[in-house]
Amino acid sequence: MKERARILVVGGGYVGMYTALRLQRKLKQELKRGDVEITVVTPDPYMTYQPFLPEAAAGSISPRHVVVPLRRVLDRCRVVIGEATSIDHAKRTATVATLATEEEGTGPDQLSYDELVLAPGSVSRTLPIPGLAEFAIGFKTVEEAIG
């Protein structure tokens, strides 16, 4: 019996979500038969549509209109809320830390893959400008925009 192909997408932001969405559509029959498994590892259960953050910050739209729930959109994918802390290409495994593994003290999980998509996104960077870290407001997440 042929083993199931495992696709791992690291990152559930714009690129990660649309990659998994496209794979989900293209591999619909294979997913139905169980020939393929798509796993998305991401720290948040939603994708933030960043172009709408200014409208959410101004109160023109509700913050819920700025996010896309990944489990609803990627209904044929396995969504793991956690962080890929390392990748071992030789063994084709990713080390993933989740809230559950931290609380249980079991250590991070190992996810095996056949194909890997890296789309971890970016983070706000604080430049070495006096006072910036203490007084600046980030504008990359919904929490920062409405906070």
Side-chain angles (χ1 to χ4, degrees):
M1 185 174 171
K2 192 172 124 180
E3 228 180 274
R4 173 191 318 220
R6 300 157 301 178
I7 302 170
L8 177 62
V9 179
V10 175
Y14 188 84
V15 173
M17 185 195 78
Y18 276 102
T19 299
L21 188 62
R22 180 74 184 242
L23 286 168
Q24 181 178 268
R25 286 182 183 152
K26 288 278 189 187
L27 301 172
K28 191 174 185 176
Q29 296 304 318
E30 291 85 345
L31 285 162
K32 250 185 207 177
R33 288 193 307 263
D35 294 341
V36 174
E37 176 185 66
I38 303 169
T39 303
V40 179
V41 175
T42 181
D44 298 310
Y46 53 85
M47 185 276 292
T48 303
Y49 191 65
Q50 292 178 346
F52 285 161
L53 285 177
E55 284 87 347
S60 300
I61 61 172
S62 173
R64 67 187 172 95
H65 294 116
V66 179
V67 296
V68 177
L70 293 175
R71 286 193 172 102
R72 188 178 311 149
V73 174
L74 303 175
D75 59 334
R76 296 188 182 273
C77 298
R78 177 177 161 219
V79 178
V80 176
I81 307 304
E83 184 178 317
T85 56
S86 67
I87 305 284
D88 186 336
H89 293 296
K91 293 181 183 174
R92 291 186 175 268
T93 60
T95 304
V96 177
T98 66
L99 192 56
T101 60
E102 287 178 25
E103 285 180 358
E104 294 166 5
T106 58
D109 286 334
Q110 297 291 318
L111 296 181
S112 299
Y113 64 86
D114 297 305
E115 299 295 333
L116 176 66
V117 177
L118 291 175
S122 61
V123 293
S124 297
R125 186 174 74 145
T126 307
L127 299 171
I129 298 171
L132 185 64
E134 295 83 17
F135 303 109
I137 299 170
F139 207 64
K140 191 129 182 85
T141 66
V142 176
E143 296 81 11
E144 291 173 339
I146 63 173

